[in-house]
Amino acid sequence: MTIEETRRDTRRSTGVVRPDEDQPLGSIGSRMRDGVGSWLKSPALDFYGLIVIGTLLISVGLVMVLSSSAVLNISRGNSGFAGLFRQGTFAALGLVLLVVAALLPPAFYRKAAWPLLALGLALQCLVFVPGLGWAVDGNQNWIRVAGQTLQPSEFLKLALAVWLGALLAMKRPLLRKPAHLLFPLVPGVVVALGMVMLGHDLGTMMIMALLVAGAVWVSGVPRRWFLAAGVAALVAVIGLTVTSANRMARIGNWIHGICEGDSCYQSDQGLMGLAEGGWWGVGLGQSRQKWGRLPAAEDDYIFAIIGEELGLIGTLGVLLLFTVLALILFRMITRIDDHFMQITIAGISAWLLGQAFVNMMVVTGMLPVIGVPLPFISSGGSALLASMAALGVLISFARREPGAPEAISARMASVRSSVGVLPAPRDAAPSSARRTGRSKPSSATTKATGSSKRPTAAQSGSNTKSAQSTKNTKSTKGAQRSGSSAASGTSRSSARSSTSAARRSPSSRRTR
């Protein structure tokens, strides 16, 4: 066996990744597949995914609200950042709601389902109070308090989703019986949707109908009853549309493409903004439609501003975020065993995702104009607060997935341990002491040693005498050494002088 074959056998036998000539960095593809596969199988994936997707959507919304509202705010004499400050304030309040909703256990929502529905209906009734209700474009669906407007129907959506989850989960074994299916489900849904429809807000009512359909479908209602309810809802929507000249004009414009006057102005300007954006967009903040051309540029038609400034890539990015959110919510429904959480997640999913795709389809001309905002992105305090509260409920449910609490706790423990490990303090001793292996004692040790070895008065006296005697002895020895050295010096000098005298005498010369 050659040396090369031996090395190959060693590489196969060990689990260590070793580079070779063909793959200097090892099998990166297999390692990436293993890492992504383990990440996708993580029980805490939905928990972290909701946090990441929600953060990205809200961040995109804040940036685009600033971009789409700056010009109009400046033209009105306000700061160009007024829209950002307003939306940022609602985002901060929504963050508080999100954290509180995420920390509450699912059992709380189950018990509070009926009070939440009652509160939502009570708020919705306030839109009909004279002096408090506020109408916008013919829709009596807002209340105005201290100069601030609030849309109660947004909070009614969340309350309805929680109520449907609690009710259908409790009646799940009895859903095949018509009496248990009809009461109290149908009266509660009719009252909630009817109060919104009394304010002439067909778009919001249709989104709430999607919410109910999603919750009922996941609950396991027999298909024949589901289809019957769908047909009845379709007939009701057609009837409400036919009886309204404004709605019929919108549908006619969408079908035939022929508009009288400026009835198609908003939709045409939205499509023009998308067309001007092209692939890459004209640049962030460089939109032309937001200069008063496109009505509701920061609200219902903010998706057109995204397409104009960020191009097709930007719109596909937003679409990708909502698609990932849909996959996460679908994964949650399939992993969670609790029927209440499954039905509630389905209702919230149908609400947020349905509203998002309806808004994008309206802007792109695939549906007639329906006044619904883009969740998390469009300007509007009520919609943002309700959406973030719903996201908090979803995060609370994601924390209770099988294996998720353990995975999240392990991750938090690893983060705390990594943060808690600090580098050892550097030795304060000088370099010479470190080289000789000596260490400088601490001040406390020096004090303790000094106090323990402090001499008494008698000891100090004896120590003084011994020191003096030692000193005298040393001086005596030194004197003796100096005397002996002086004598030896004298003898050497006398010897030298006698030698020199003998050399100079003539007798000595004659003797030689």
Side-chain angles (χ1 to χ4, degrees):
M1 181 181 293
T2 62
I3 298 176
E4 186 65 26
E5 292 176 351
T6 305
R7 290 178 179 176
R8 291 178 181 176
D9 293 340
T10 306
R11 291 169 187 168
R12 295 191 191 101
S13 60
T14 59
V16 180
V17 178
R18 300 180 184 275
D20 53 18
E21 296 179 357
D22 298 332
Q23 296 179 341
L25 299 180
S27 182
I28 298 178
S30 61
R31 281 185 288 172
M32 290 183 62
R33 286 192 297 269
D34 295 339
V36 173
S38 61
W39 179 70
L40 292 176
K41 295 177 182 177
S42 173
L45 173 62
D46 299 333
F47 174 78
Y48 295 116
L50 288 174
I51 295 176
V52 172
I53 297 299
T55 302
L56 292 176
L57 287 173
I58 296 170
S59 301
V60 171
L62 292 175
V63 172
M64 296 312 303
V65 166
L66 170 63
S67 176
S68 58
S69 62
V71 174
L72 292 181
N73 285 327
I74 293 174
S75 66
R76 295 166 184 167
N78 301 323
S79 171
F81 296 92
L84 175 63
F85 292 153
R86 182 175 181 274
Q87 192 73 359
T89 302
F90 285 116
L93 296 175
L95 181 61
V96 176
L97 289 178
L98 186 150
V99 172
V100 172
L103 294 177
L104 292 175
F108 170 82
Y109 297 105
R110 186 192 295 266
K111 295 178 181 178
W114 283 94
L116 287 176
L117 180 64
L119 179 61
L121 293 175
L123 289 175
Q124 187 63 31
C125 291
L126 296 179
V127 302
F128 305 108
V129 177
L132 189 61
W134 186 262
V136 178
D137 296 332
N139 294 339
Q140 188 79 18
N141 204 21
W142 283 265
I143 58 176
R144 189 176 182 88
V145 180
Q148 298 293 330
T149 58
L150 181 70
Q151 191 174 3
S153 58
E154 295 293 335
F155 301 96
L156 183 57
K157 296 174 184 177
L158 179 58
L160 184 61
V162 175
W163 179 75
L164 288 172
L167 178 66
L168 294 174
M170 181 180 63
K171 287 183 170 291
R172 184 180 176 86
L174 305 173
L175 290 179
R176 296 188 177 274
K177 298 180 179 180
H180 291 278
L181 179 61
L182 296 177
F183 187 82
L185 175 63
V186 174
V189 172
V190 170
V191 170
L193 273 65
M195 292 186 66
V196 174
M197 196 58 219
L198 286 177
H200 307 287
D201 194 350
L202 180 61
T204 302
M205 192 273 290
M206 293 177 62
I207 298 301
M208 295 177 67
L210 285 177
L211 186 155
V212 175
V216 171
W217 175 261
V218 173
S219 66
V221 171
R223 293 182 180 180
R224 60 181 183 276
W225 293 107
F226 185 82
L227 292 176
V231 171
L234 181 61
V235 171
V237 170
I238 292 175
L240 293 172
T241 303
V242 172
T243 56
S244 174
N246 184 23
R247 299 188 188 108
M248 287 299 297
R250 291 183 183 182
I251 295 177
N253 296 337
W254 174 66
I255 294 176
H256 303 292
I258 301 175
C259 307
E260 297 180 1
D262 58 351
S263 58
C264 294
Y265 179 78
Q266 186 179 29
S267 58
D268 290 344
Q269 293 297 322
L271 292 175
M272 189 178 299
L274 293 174
E276 290 177 353
W279 282 93
W280 304 102
V282 297
L284 187 62
Q286 303 299 320
S287 170
R288 300 177 181 87
Q289 297 298 324
K290 66 183 181 182
W291 288 73
R293 298 181 181 178
L294 178 61
E298 73 275 14
D299 298 326
D300 298 345
Y301 268 76
I302 196 171
F303 189 71
I305 304 299
I306 295 175
E308 183 181 7
E309 294 187 349
L310 304 180
L312 179 64
I313 303 302
T315 57
L316 291 180
V318 174
L319 181 63
L320 178 62
L321 290 177
F322 281 105
T323 303
V324 174
L325 179 61
L327 294 176
I328 291 174
L329 296 177
F330 178 77
R331 186 176 185 268
M332 290 178 62
I333 294 175
T334 56
R335 282 179 50 83
I336 293 178
D337 299 330
D338 186 86
H339 297 305
F340 162 70
M341 290 192 285
Q342 285 180 335
I343 298 171
T344 305
I345 293 171
I348 295 176
S349 304
W351 158 29
L352 295 177
L353 299 174
Q355 183 171 322
F357 287 108
V358 165
N359 177 275
M360 289 185 281
M361 292 176 72
V362 167
V363 174
T364 55
M366 301 177 67
L367 284 177
V369 177
I370 302 174
V372 293
L374 187 60
F376 302 106
I377 297 179
S378 292
S379 176
S382 302
L384 183 60
L385 289 175
S387 300
M388 294 184 70
L391 182 61
V393 175
L394 295 175
I395 293 175
S396 174
F397 293 170
R399 292 174 57 199
R400 271 73 182 183
E401 288 188 26
E406 294 79 6
I408 297 173
S409 300
R411 174 61 62 181
M412 294 297 104
S414 64
V415 171
R416 286 194 297 268
S417 62
S418 62
V419 172
V421 175
L422 298 177
R426 297 183 62 182
D427 191 5
S431 58
S432 60
R434 286 196 298 269
R435 286 195 298 268
T436 57
R438 298 175 182 177
S439 60
K440 187 177 181 181
S442 62
S443 60
T445 307
T446 305
K447 291 180 180 179
T449 307
S451 61
S452 62
K453 295 183 179 181
R454 186 174 298 167
T456 61
Q459 291 175 349
S460 61
S462 61
N463 293 338
T464 306
K465 292 179 181 180
S466 61
Q468 291 177 354
S469 61
T470 305
K471 183 177 181 181
N472 294 334
T473 304
K474 291 181 178 179
S475 62
T476 304
K477 292 180 179 179
Q480 292 175 356
R481 292 193 193 96
S482 61
S484 60
S485 60
S488 60
T490 303
S491 61
R492 284 197 297 270
S493 61
S494 60
R496 289 195 194 97
S497 60
S498 60
T499 305
S500 61
R503 288 178 181 176
R504 286 195 299 269
S505 62
S507 59
S508 63
R509 292 176 184 172
R510 286 193 297 265
T511 304
R512 290 182 181 179

